[in-house]
Amino acid sequence: MFKKLFLPVGILIAVLWALYSPAGGLFCKKYITTHAMIVVIFLISGMQIKLDELKFDRSFLLGLPVGAVFTLILLPFAGWAALRMMPWDPTLLAGLLVILAAPPTLSSGIVMTQQAQGNMMLAIAITVLFNLAAIITLPLVLGFLLGQTESGNVDTIKMFKQLILTVMLPLSAGYIIKKSILRSWYNKLLDYIPLTATIMLSLVFFADARDHIFQISVPTVILILGISLVLHLLSMAVPYWIGQALKMSIGDCKAMIFCGASKSATMALAMIAIAELQQSAAVVSCLLFYALQLFLDSALASHAGKYAGKALADPVI
């Protein structure tokens, strides 16, 4: 329970601290830098990856490619098509598009799947492969969509290079270190390093965007939460329908829902930094979406876990 609450409670404290006194966040931005935090996050995340646990079965070969196309490409385009008709501040819209295009979390999606008693092997496969695919899809999708929001000049090639340097290389280095140097050793306390760094990123971004945040009205916040709820429910419903169409087991469908539909705040914040959107309200809409997702998924996963039992092995009709 402590680990599940560590990130949401930590982000909440960081946000309140940044809004009350931005000095701490501005200090971290100047002397630690957001890129250093991102590198640390994915270095440790690389140590958490367990490629040897992947199971190449029918669910893997059919469900993952279809789910990846929807989650990483079709969903952000669908969100853009729906939201462009509304009188949005371009930076608020940019934040929603960034997190819609983000891959699954490297930890909480698997935790939610486990809580719902879903297929853990499929959840691991979704997490690893969707994140690897996002290295290619994020620059291409966001390069187009952010350009359409008029949120600034977005350099797709620069985003791709930054993803390689700050995400792919540290992720690969962490995996190699774990397999060749640390081998069987891994202290669970290391899990809190990427969580803490994500909280620090929230502190930095909210401190940097403090003046802009106070200009956002309460009705706008409520609107963002409402839109986020609709989009997240859509992101959960479609993977479930994909699972039904492919006649996956209930356990597989739960993995598709709770892991495939989850969006990584870490990757989203990293992309906001790479796309140089951190001084705008993009952070606000991004983290509002993430907060709603986190609490909704926690409640649904707990409820879904009560209806597991024998049904996990039964095919979905």
Side-chain angles (χ1 to χ4, degrees), residues 157-252:
I157 301 300
K158 180 181 178 181
M159 278 198 291
F160 181 76
K161 290 179 179 177
Q162 287 295 322
L163 275 171
I164 295 296
L165 293 174
T166 60
V167 177
M168 191 62 187
L169 289 182
L171 198 67
S172 302
Y175 180 76
I176 292 171
I177 290 171
K178 175 65 170 61
K179 295 295 289 186
S180 60
I181 299 176
L182 300 181
R183 297 184 181 179
S184 60
W185 181 89
Y186 185 87
N187 193 306
K188 290 185 178 181
L189 290 177
L190 292 176
D191 292 344
Y192 289 93
I193 294 178
L195 299 179
T196 302
T198 302
I199 292 169
M200 291 177 66
L201 280 175
S202 303
L203 177 68
V204 169
F205 289 146
F206 271 88
D208 209 29
R210 181 175 180 270
D211 293 339
H212 195 109
I213 290 169
F214 285 133
Q215 298 174 10
I216 301 175
S217 64
V218 173
T220 300
V221 172
I222 295 174
L223 176 62
I224 292 172
L225 289 173
I227 292 295
S228 298
L229 176 62
V230 172
L231 290 172
H232 185 53
L233 289 176
L234 175 65
S235 72
M236 300 181 82
V238 173
Y240 174 73
W241 294 332
I242 291 172
Q244 281 195 319
L246 296 175
K247 296 184 178 181
M248 291 182 174
S249 70
I250 292 178
D252 291 345

XYZ file of all heavy atoms in Angstrom, residues 157-252:
763
model
N 13.020 15.616 -35.290
C 14.344 14.990 -35.250
C 15.002 15.224 -33.892
O 15.613 14.314 -33.307
C 15.247 15.546 -36.370
C 14.610 15.285 -37.744
C 16.630 14.909 -36.289
C 14.386 13.826 -38.050
N 14.861 16.433 -33.352
C 15.439 16.736 -32.042
C 14.795 15.871 -30.963
O 15.481 15.352 -30.074
C 15.252 18.218 -31.718
C 15.824 18.616 -30.369
C 15.585 20.092 -30.079
C 16.116 20.470 -28.697
N 15.880 21.904 -28.389
N 13.452 15.705 -31.023
C 12.761 14.872 -30.046
C 13.262 13.438 -30.114
O 13.461 12.781 -29.081
C 11.252 14.909 -30.283
C 10.552 16.116 -29.689
S 8.764 15.863 -29.539
C 8.283 15.846 -31.249
N 13.445 12.939 -31.330
C 13.922 11.566 -31.501
C 15.320 11.404 -30.897
O 15.581 10.438 -30.167
C 13.944 11.212 -32.987
C 14.407 9.810 -33.263
C 13.578 8.726 -33.042
C 15.688 9.572 -33.736
C 14.005 7.426 -33.283
C 16.128 8.273 -33.989
C 15.282 7.204 -33.762
N 16.214 12.343 -31.172
C 17.573 12.276 -30.633
C 17.562 12.340 -29.108
O 18.291 11.599 -28.435
C 18.418 13.416 -31.199
C 18.747 13.268 -32.683
C 19.568 14.455 -33.180
C 19.928 14.301 -34.649
N 20.673 15.484 -35.161
N 16.723 13.233 -28.570
C 16.652 13.367 -27.116
C 16.087 12.105 -26.468
O 16.510 11.709 -25.382
C 15.792 14.583 -26.744
C 16.447 15.928 -27.006
C 17.674 16.131 -26.138
O 17.693 15.747 -24.969
N 18.713 16.736 -26.691
N 15.116 11.467 -27.118
C 14.573 10.211 -26.591
C 15.634 9.118 -26.563
O 15.703 8.329 -25.618
C 13.379 9.761 -27.437
C 12.019 10.349 -27.075
C 10.983 9.979 -28.127
C 11.563 9.873 -25.708
N 16.455 9.077 -27.599
C 17.535 8.090 -27.637
C 18.518 8.349 -26.492
O 18.925 7.420 -25.769
C 18.276 8.137 -28.989
C 17.339 7.702 -30.125
C 19.517 7.234 -28.950
C 16.871 6.281 -30.047
N 18.895 9.620 -26.300
C 19.917 9.971 -25.305
C 19.413 9.880 -23.871
O 20.146 9.440 -22.980
C 20.448 11.380 -25.574
C 21.256 11.577 -26.866
C 21.583 13.052 -27.066
C 22.533 10.751 -26.825
N 18.180 10.328 -23.642
C 17.687 10.421 -22.264
C 16.810 9.255 -21.836
O 16.556 9.076 -20.643
C 16.898 11.730 -22.048
O 15.775 11.757 -22.948
C 17.766 12.940 -22.306
N 16.327 8.467 -22.798
C 15.444 7.347 -22.457
C 16.042 6.005 -22.896
O 16.302 5.130 -22.071
C 14.042 7.531 -23.089
C 13.162 6.312 -22.775
C 13.384 8.795 -22.565
N 16.281 5.847 -24.197
C 16.694 4.546 -24.731
C 18.057 4.116 -24.203
O 18.230 2.970 -23.760
C 16.710 4.602 -26.255
C 16.876 3.239 -26.909
S 15.498 2.153 -26.505
C 16.050 0.607 -27.205
N 19.048 5.003 -24.251
C 20.392 4.634 -23.797
C 20.428 4.330 -22.290
O 20.986 3.307 -21.884
C 21.391 5.726 -24.162
C 21.731 5.853 -25.657
C 22.767 6.949 -25.881
C 22.226 4.527 -26.220
N 19.845 5.194 -21.432
C 19.814 4.847 -19.998
C 19.028 3.571 -19.717
O 19.427 2.772 -18.855
C 19.124 6.061 -19.355
C 19.362 7.181 -20.299
C 19.332 6.558 -21.665
N 17.911 3.365 -20.449
C 17.106 2.159 -20.253
C 17.931 0.917 -20.596
O 17.948 -0.066 -19.842
C 15.857 2.230 -21.133
C 14.684 1.319 -20.787
C 14.060 1.726 -19.461
C 13.629 1.361 -21.885
N 18.651 0.975 -21.728
C 19.499 -0.148 -22.147
C 20.658 -0.349 -21.180
O 20.999 -1.492 -20.829
C 20.042 0.104 -23.562
O 18.996 0.283 -24.477
N 21.261 0.771 -20.730
C 22.382 0.677 -19.793
C 21.940 0.038 -18.477
O 22.650 -0.805 -17.912
C 22.968 2.064 -19.532
N 20.754 0.423 -17.998
C 20.247 -0.152 -16.759
C 20.020 -1.641 -16.881
O 20.346 -2.416 -15.974
N 19.489 -2.068 -18.033
C 19.241 -3.499 -18.255
C 20.556 -4.271 -18.308
O 20.686 -5.350 -17.712
C 18.461 -3.688 -19.552
C 18.167 -5.138 -19.867
C 17.173 -5.823 -19.183
C 18.898 -5.811 -20.843
C 16.900 -7.154 -19.464
C 18.631 -7.140 -21.137
C 17.635 -7.811 -20.438
O 17.375 -9.137 -20.711
N 21.553 -3.714 -19.003
C 22.858 -4.375 -19.123
C 23.553 -4.466 -17.763
O 24.136 -5.491 -17.406
C 23.746 -3.623 -20.131
C 23.165 -3.770 -21.542
C 25.176 -4.152 -20.099
C 23.838 -2.896 -22.572
N 23.489 -3.369 -16.992
C 24.094 -3.360 -15.658
C 23.469 -4.432 -14.775
O 24.160 -5.158 -14.059
C 23.946 -1.967 -15.003
C 24.839 -0.953 -15.724
C 24.298 -2.022 -13.517
C 24.597 0.485 -15.292
N 22.130 -4.528 -14.841
C 21.429 -5.518 -14.019
C 21.811 -6.942 -14.423
O 22.031 -7.808 -13.563
C 19.919 -5.316 -14.174
C 19.057 -6.360 -13.475
C 19.228 -6.308 -11.955
C 18.206 -7.166 -11.243
N 18.277 -8.583 -11.583
N 21.919 -7.200 -15.730
C 22.174 -8.560 -16.200
C 23.633 -8.966 -16.091
O 23.943 -10.121 -15.781
C 21.725 -8.687 -17.665
C 20.228 -8.526 -17.869
C 19.421 -9.627 -17.214
C 19.588 -10.938 -17.949
N 18.710 -12.006 -17.419
N 24.568 -8.042 -16.317
C 25.981 -8.419 -16.397
C 26.796 -8.060 -15.162
O 27.820 -8.685 -14.894
C 26.628 -7.768 -17.627
O 26.543 -6.359 -17.533
N 26.372 -7.063 -14.406
C 27.158 -6.625 -13.242
C 26.453 -7.001 -11.934
O 26.998 -7.717 -11.096
C 27.421 -5.111 -13.300
C 28.217 -4.765 -14.571
C 28.178 -4.655 -12.056
C 28.456 -3.284 -14.770
N 25.224 -6.509 -11.771
C 24.506 -6.780 -10.523
C 23.939 -8.199 -10.501
O 23.790 -8.797 -9.445
C 23.368 -5.762 -10.350
C 23.807 -4.295 -10.285
C 22.596 -3.397 -10.096
C 24.801 -4.072 -9.155
N 23.590 -8.699 -11.700
C 23.047 -10.051 -11.864
C 21.833 -10.279 -10.967
O 20.819 -9.634 -11.134
C 24.151 -11.080 -11.639
C 25.265 -10.944 -12.685
C 26.320 -12.018 -12.550
N 27.361 -11.816 -13.554
C 28.420 -12.574 -13.692
N 28.601 -13.626 -12.890
N 29.319 -12.303 -14.622
N 21.944 -11.194 -10.014
C 20.766 -11.538 -9.226
C 20.456 -10.514 -8.132
O 19.380 -10.543 -7.535
C 20.955 -12.915 -8.573
O 22.086 -12.905 -7.721
N 21.389 -9.568 -7.894
C 21.162 -8.603 -6.806
C 20.292 -7.457 -7.281
O 20.509 -6.890 -8.343
C 22.489 -8.041 -6.289
C 22.283 -7.068 -5.149
C 22.219 -7.365 -3.827
C 22.107 -5.649 -5.246
N 22.014 -6.220 -3.072
C 21.925 -5.151 -3.935
C 22.052 -4.750 -6.311
C 21.722 -3.798 -3.652
C 21.836 -3.407 -6.042
C 21.686 -2.938 -4.730
N 19.277 -7.130 -6.497
C 18.465 -5.944 -6.758
C 17.707 -5.608 -5.480
O 16.903 -6.408 -4.993
C 17.485 -6.165 -7.910
C 16.720 -4.905 -8.270
C 17.238 -3.987 -9.172
C 15.482 -4.632 -7.696
C 16.553 -2.827 -9.499
C 14.790 -3.484 -8.009
C 15.327 -2.585 -8.915
O 14.636 -1.423 -9.225
N 17.989 -4.443 -4.922
C 17.310 -4.016 -3.705
C 16.021 -3.287 -4.071
O 16.022 -2.396 -4.922
C 18.228 -3.084 -2.896
C 17.719 -2.870 -1.482
O 16.572 -2.485 -1.277
N 18.570 -3.139 -0.504
N 14.934 -3.659 -3.428
C 13.635 -3.061 -3.744
C 13.585 -1.561 -3.459
O 12.717 -0.857 -3.982
C 12.527 -3.784 -2.969
C 12.282 -5.199 -3.461
C 11.101 -5.838 -2.754
C 10.835 -7.242 -3.306
N 9.670 -7.872 -2.637
N 14.518 -1.088 -2.643
C 14.562 0.359 -2.375
C 14.895 1.144 -3.648
O 14.547 2.327 -3.763
C 15.593 0.667 -1.282
C 15.233 0.209 0.134
C 16.388 0.515 1.097
C 13.948 0.894 0.616
N 15.557 0.485 -4.599
C 15.873 1.155 -5.861
C 14.607 1.527 -6.634
O 14.622 2.456 -7.447
C 16.760 0.262 -6.728
C 18.192 0.014 -6.234
C 18.901 -0.970 -7.143
C 18.972 1.325 -6.178
N 13.515 0.804 -6.374
C 12.255 1.106 -7.052
C 11.779 2.520 -6.756
O 11.053 3.118 -7.564
C 11.168 0.120 -6.613
C 11.446 -1.296 -7.100
O 12.285 -1.457 -8.005
O 10.824 -2.233 -6.579
N 12.179 3.048 -5.596
C 11.703 4.374 -5.197
C 12.492 5.506 -5.860
O 12.077 6.655 -5.799
C 11.772 4.511 -3.671
C 10.736 3.665 -2.961
C 11.042 2.382 -2.522
C 9.442 4.143 -2.759
C 10.087 1.590 -1.890
C 8.485 3.359 -2.129
C 8.811 2.091 -1.701
O 7.860 1.315 -1.077
N 13.618 5.172 -6.487
C 14.414 6.224 -7.134
C 13.674 6.842 -8.320
O 13.525 8.070 -8.391
C 15.796 5.690 -7.555
C 16.613 5.323 -6.314
C 16.541 6.724 -8.400
C 17.981 4.738 -6.614
N 13.168 6.039 -9.300
C 12.412 6.661 -10.385
C 11.133 7.334 -9.916
O 10.727 8.363 -10.477
C 12.123 5.496 -11.344
C 12.317 4.265 -10.538
C 13.345 4.587 -9.515
N 10.498 6.781 -8.883
C 9.289 7.410 -8.345
C 9.623 8.774 -7.742
O 8.909 9.763 -7.964
C 8.642 6.506 -7.291
C 8.180 5.122 -7.753
C 7.582 4.346 -6.587
C 7.178 5.238 -8.888
N 10.722 8.832 -6.996
C 11.148 10.092 -6.386
C 11.539 11.114 -7.452
O 11.215 12.301 -7.352
C 12.335 9.854 -5.436
O 11.953 8.914 -4.422
C 12.772 11.158 -4.774
N 12.238 10.643 -8.495
C 12.643 11.551 -9.576
C 11.421 12.091 -10.314
O 11.403 13.255 -10.729
C 13.577 10.831 -10.543
N 10.388 11.258 -10.481
C 9.155 11.728 -11.115
C 8.484 12.793 -10.264
O 7.962 13.794 -10.782
C 8.186 10.549 -11.342
O 8.821 9.560 -12.146
C 6.907 11.016 -12.017
N 8.514 12.604 -8.957
C 7.960 13.607 -8.037
C 8.752 14.910 -8.140
O 8.172 16.012 -8.166
C 7.972 13.069 -6.591
C 6.979 11.916 -6.446
C 7.640 14.184 -5.589
C 7.102 11.142 -5.148
N 10.075 14.793 -8.246
C 10.919 15.986 -8.393
C 10.636 16.707 -9.706
O 10.642 17.944 -9.761
C 12.391 15.599 -8.294
C 12.829 15.157 -6.908
S 14.556 14.624 -6.863
C 15.409 16.171 -7.230
N 10.381 15.934 -10.771
C 10.009 16.556 -12.038
C 8.715 17.349 -11.893
O 8.597 18.468 -12.421
C 9.836 15.489 -13.125
C 11.104 14.958 -13.793
C 10.745 13.823 -14.748
C 11.839 16.049 -14.544
N 7.760 16.788 -11.178
C 6.502 17.489 -10.930
C 6.754 18.790 -10.176
O 6.166 19.829 -10.488
C 5.541 16.603 -10.130
O 5.296 15.388 -10.798
N 7.644 18.726 -9.176
C 8.001 19.916 -8.403
C 8.593 20.993 -9.311
O 8.201 22.168 -9.246
C 8.998 19.538 -7.304
C 9.538 20.682 -6.440
C 8.437 21.261 -5.578
C 10.690 20.188 -5.563
N 9.515 20.588 -10.173
C 10.176 21.537 -11.081
C 9.178 22.145 -12.052
O 9.130 23.372 -12.236
C 11.311 20.839 -11.858
C 11.820 21.726 -12.984
C 12.454 20.473 -10.914
N 8.375 21.302 -12.681
C 7.456 21.791 -13.709
C 6.391 22.713 -13.128
O 6.052 23.734 -13.725
C 6.792 20.618 -14.427
C 7.734 19.858 -15.318
C 7.598 18.489 -15.492
C 8.759 20.497 -15.981
C 8.460 17.786 -16.325
C 9.635 19.804 -16.811
C 9.478 18.451 -16.980
N 5.845 22.346 -11.973
C 4.808 23.180 -11.381
C 5.386 24.487 -10.845
O 4.734 25.529 -10.912
C 4.069 22.423 -10.273
C 2.886 21.650 -10.782
C 3.017 20.357 -11.252
C 1.630 22.225 -10.814
C 1.937 19.649 -11.739
C 0.527 21.532 -11.295
C 0.677 20.238 -11.761
N 6.596 24.438 -10.329
C 7.237 25.681 -9.872
C 7.481 26.612 -11.054
O 7.266 27.829 -10.970
C 8.556 25.358 -9.167
N 7.911 26.015 -12.168
C 8.215 26.800 -13.360
C 6.952 27.379 -13.993
O 6.979 28.458 -14.589
C 8.944 25.913 -14.370
C 9.881 26.700 -15.259
O 10.392 27.739 -14.799
O 10.093 26.283 -16.403
N 5.838 26.644 -13.862
C 4.588 27.072 -14.492
C 3.638 27.751 -13.506
O 2.476 27.993 -13.831
C 3.904 25.877 -15.130
N 4.138 28.076 -12.320
C 3.285 28.577 -11.233
C 2.438 29.780 -11.646
O 1.221 29.820 -11.417
C 4.159 28.932 -10.030
C 3.398 29.447 -8.809
C 4.360 29.647 -7.646
N 3.702 30.132 -6.457
C 3.546 31.429 -6.160
N 4.006 32.348 -7.014
N 2.949 31.787 -5.053
N 3.048 30.773 -12.244
C 2.316 31.985 -12.611
C 1.219 31.689 -13.624
O 0.119 32.250 -13.555
C 3.278 33.034 -13.174
C 4.249 33.556 -12.118
O 3.933 33.416 -10.914
O 5.308 34.078 -12.495
N 1.527 30.798 -14.563
C 0.538 30.437 -15.576
C -0.606 29.642 -14.959
O -1.766 29.795 -15.344
C 1.205 29.632 -16.694
C 0.368 29.513 -17.927
N 0.671 30.172 -19.098
C -0.766 28.813 -18.173
C -0.247 29.883 -20.011
N -1.113 29.048 -19.476
N -0.285 28.785 -13.995
C -1.293 27.931 -13.364
C -2.366 28.758 -12.677
O -3.567 28.460 -12.761
C -0.623 26.970 -12.350
C 0.211 25.928 -13.103
C -1.670 26.283 -11.477
C 1.101 25.109 -12.205
N -1.940 29.837 -11.998
C -2.894 30.667 -11.262
C -3.832 31.443 -12.191
O -4.793 32.059 -11.732
C -2.161 31.633 -10.336
C -1.591 30.959 -9.116
C -0.284 31.195 -8.714
C -2.362 30.083 -8.365
C 0.241 30.573 -7.587
C -1.845 29.459 -7.239
C -0.539 29.704 -6.850
N -3.530 31.399 -13.480
C -4.403 32.055 -14.447
C -5.491 31.113 -14.964
O -6.397 31.537 -15.674
C -3.579 32.575 -15.633
C -2.547 33.624 -15.250
C -1.651 34.010 -16.415
O -1.909 33.635 -17.557
N -0.598 34.755 -16.137
N -5.386 29.823 -14.614
C -6.369 28.836 -15.070
C -7.558 28.824 -14.126
O -7.407 28.689 -12.908
C -5.733 27.433 -15.139
C -4.545 27.445 -16.095
C -6.757 26.407 -15.599
C -3.784 26.148 -16.137
N -8.752 28.940 -14.679
C -9.961 29.006 -13.860
C -10.390 27.617 -13.380
O -10.025 26.596 -13.974
C -11.104 29.635 -14.662
O -11.443 28.814 -15.764
N -11.174 27.597 -12.309
C -11.698 26.338 -11.770
C -12.571 25.607 -12.798
O -12.452 24.386 -12.955
C -12.481 26.594 -10.463
C -13.181 25.309 -9.990
C -11.548 27.121 -9.380
N -13.459 26.325 -13.525
C -14.246 25.616 -14.562
C -13.361 24.929 -15.607
O -13.705 23.849 -16.105
C -15.073 26.738 -15.199
C -15.222 27.751 -14.115
C -13.915 27.718 -13.381
N -12.210 25.541 -15.931
C -11.297 24.936 -16.897
C -10.706 23.646 -16.343
O -10.578 22.646 -17.060
C -10.162 25.905 -17.276
O -10.722 27.078 -17.858
C -9.209 25.273 -18.274
N -10.352 23.657 -15.064
C -9.820 22.449 -14.417
C -10.865 21.337 -14.444
O -10.557 20.176 -14.745
C -9.391 22.749 -12.965
C -9.032 21.457 -12.235
C -8.214 23.705 -12.943
N -12.118 21.692 -14.129
C -13.204 20.706 -14.145
C -13.402 20.159 -15.555
O -13.614 18.952 -15.751
C -14.512 21.338 -13.618
C -14.346 21.719 -12.134
C -15.689 20.380 -13.798
C -15.515 22.476 -11.557
N -13.289 21.044 -16.559
C -13.432 20.613 -17.952
C -12.319 19.640 -18.339
O -12.572 18.620 -18.990
C -13.410 21.835 -18.875
C -13.464 21.541 -20.385
C -14.761 20.825 -20.743
C -13.321 22.831 -21.181
N -11.082 19.946 -17.915
C -9.950 19.061 -18.218
C -10.179 17.685 -17.598
O -9.943 16.652 -18.241
C -8.638 19.673 -17.699
C -8.277 20.927 -18.496
C -7.490 18.659 -17.800
C -7.101 21.692 -17.922
N -10.635 17.655 -16.350
C -10.887 16.378 -15.680
C -11.999 15.600 -16.376
O -11.920 14.374 -16.522
C -11.242 16.619 -14.214
C -10.091 17.086 -13.310
C -10.613 17.450 -11.927
C -9.020 16.008 -13.204
N -13.043 16.305 -16.819
C -14.140 15.647 -17.514
C -13.689 15.042 -18.838
O -14.011 13.883 -19.148
N -12.953 15.816 -19.614
C -12.434 15.325 -20.894
C -11.464 14.168 -20.659
O -11.466 13.158 -21.391
C -11.719 16.460 -21.650
C -12.725 17.518 -22.085
C -10.968 15.914 -22.855
C -13.739 17.040 -23.088
N -10.623 14.293 -19.632
C -9.663 13.235 -19.313
C -10.377 11.935 -18.960
O -9.939 10.844 -19.355
C -8.764 13.668 -18.144
O -8.005 14.813 -18.478
N -11.481 12.045 -18.227
C -12.254 10.855 -17.848
C -12.791 10.143 -19.086
O -12.661 8.916 -19.219
C -13.412 11.258 -16.932
C -14.374 10.129 -16.524
C -13.636 9.056 -15.738
C -15.542 10.684 -15.718
N -13.357 10.904 -20.015
C -13.910 10.312 -21.235
C -12.811 9.633 -22.055
O -12.962 8.502 -22.515
C -14.624 11.390 -22.083
C -15.035 10.820 -23.442
C -15.848 11.924 -21.342
N -11.681 10.331 -22.224
C -10.590 9.790 -23.042
C -9.963 8.552 -22.398
O -9.611 7.589 -23.087
C -9.528 10.863 -23.261
C -9.935 12.023 -24.170
C -8.869 13.119 -24.154
C -10.185 11.543 -25.595
N -9.834 8.569 -21.070
C -9.239 7.411 -20.408
C -10.175 6.212 -20.449
O -9.726 5.067 -20.638
C -8.871 7.744 -18.970
C -8.150 6.627 -18.278
N -7.017 6.024 -18.801
C -8.401 5.965 -17.110
C -6.600 5.069 -17.995
N -7.436 5.003 -16.966
N -11.465 6.430 -20.281
C -12.416 5.321 -20.391
C -12.394 4.735 -21.803
O -12.501 3.512 -21.982
C -13.829 5.800 -20.028
C -14.068 6.105 -18.545
C -15.475 6.654 -18.341
C -13.863 4.864 -17.680
N -12.229 5.611 -22.802
C -12.105 5.129 -24.177
C -10.837 4.292 -24.339
O -10.861 3.229 -24.985
C -12.064 6.314 -25.141
C -11.804 5.986 -26.630
C -12.966 5.161 -27.191
C -11.601 7.263 -27.432
N -9.744 4.752 -23.725
C -8.469 4.031 -23.840
C -8.523 2.679 -23.144
O -7.720 1.789 -23.450
C -7.326 4.871 -23.254
O -7.391 4.923 -21.839
N -9.454 2.494 -22.216
C -9.628 1.203 -21.547
C -10.622 0.318 -22.308
O -10.455 -0.902 -22.376
C -10.111 1.404 -20.107
C -9.164 2.207 -19.233
S -9.779 2.399 -17.536
C -9.265 0.838 -16.826
N -11.647 0.940 -22.880
C -12.703 0.177 -23.542
C -12.193 -0.484 -24.827
O -12.492 -1.656 -25.082
C -13.891 1.088 -23.857
N -11.423 0.262 -25.622
C -10.975 -0.289 -26.910
C -10.053 -1.502 -26.730
O -10.235 -2.515 -27.408
C -10.305 0.805 -27.767
C -9.679 0.208 -29.021
C -11.338 1.869 -28.149
N -9.039 -1.459 -25.821
C -8.240 -2.673 -25.603
C -9.082 -3.867 -25.138
O -8.797 -5.013 -25.501
C -7.252 -2.248 -24.507
C -7.100 -0.783 -24.705
C -8.468 -0.308 -25.098
N -10.132 -3.591 -24.358
C -11.022 -4.677 -23.938
C -11.749 -5.262 -25.145
O -11.867 -6.496 -25.285
C -12.031 -4.162 -22.918
C -13.079 -5.187 -22.542
C -12.750 -6.268 -21.724
C -14.388 -5.085 -23.011
C -13.701 -7.224 -21.386
C -15.339 -6.025 -22.677
C -14.998 -7.093 -21.865
O -15.939 -8.039 -21.530
N -12.234 -4.395 -26.037
C -12.907 -4.876 -27.247
C -11.935 -5.639 -28.148
O -12.321 -6.614 -28.780
C -13.519 -3.704 -28.009
C -14.635 -3.042 -27.264
C -15.471 -3.620 -26.355
C -15.035 -1.665 -27.358
N -16.362 -2.695 -25.859
C -16.121 -1.484 -26.460
C -14.598 -0.577 -28.090
C -16.757 -0.252 -26.303
C -15.225 0.640 -27.943
C -16.289 0.801 -27.060
N -10.688 -5.185 -28.189
C -9.666 -5.905 -28.961
C -9.493 -7.311 -28.393
O -9.425 -8.302 -29.130
C -8.325 -5.148 -28.937
C -8.440 -3.840 -29.733
C -7.197 -6.013 -29.512
C -7.225 -2.935 -29.614
N -9.421 -7.393 -27.065
C -9.290 -8.691 -26.403
C -10.475 -9.597 -26.695
O -10.309 -10.802 -26.943
N -11.681 -9.036 -26.684
C -12.872 -9.826 -26.996
C -12.836 -10.330 -28.435
O -13.160 -11.484 -28.712
C -14.133 -8.991 -26.766
C -14.546 -8.873 -25.310
C -15.965 -8.365 -25.188
O -16.374 -7.462 -25.910
N -16.724 -8.933 -24.271
N -12.457 -9.435 -29.349
C -12.427 -9.808 -30.771
C -11.437 -10.937 -31.031
O -11.661 -11.790 -31.892
C -12.081 -8.591 -31.622
N -10.323 -10.936 -30.271
C -9.296 -11.971 -30.430
C -9.539 -13.169 -29.520
O -8.731 -14.086 -29.464
C -7.910 -11.378 -30.141
C -7.453 -10.273 -31.099
C -6.126 -9.688 -30.650
C -7.342 -10.811 -32.522
N -10.680 -13.143 -28.781
C -11.068 -14.222 -27.869
C -9.987 -14.510 -26.830
O -9.636 -15.656 -26.557
C -11.410 -15.491 -28.659
C -12.625 -15.320 -29.554
C -13.011 -16.608 -30.251
C -14.258 -16.412 -31.106
N -14.676 -17.654 -31.792
N -9.447 -13.443 -26.269
C -8.474 -13.587 -25.185
C -9.189 -13.998 -23.903
O -10.395 -13.789 -23.749
C -7.739 -12.266 -24.950
C -6.801 -11.849 -26.056
S -5.957 -10.300 -25.598
C -4.804 -10.147 -26.957
N -8.433 -14.547 -22.966
C -8.990 -14.885 -21.659
C -9.266 -13.601 -20.888
O -8.785 -12.515 -21.236
C -8.012 -15.759 -20.874
O -6.879 -14.985 -20.493
N -10.029 -13.716 -19.828
C -10.334 -12.553 -18.996
C -9.050 -11.977 -18.401
O -8.880 -10.764 -18.295
C -11.330 -12.938 -17.880
C -12.693 -13.260 -18.494
C -11.475 -11.804 -16.867
C -13.735 -13.695 -17.503
N -8.117 -12.872 -18.027
C -6.844 -12.399 -17.480
C -6.063 -11.574 -18.482
O -5.457 -10.558 -18.136
N -6.094 -11.998 -19.760
C -5.423 -11.237 -20.814
C -6.096 -9.882 -21.021
O -5.428 -8.860 -21.211
C -5.436 -12.018 -22.124
C -4.549 -13.247 -22.086
O -3.713 -13.344 -21.154
O -4.684 -14.103 -22.969
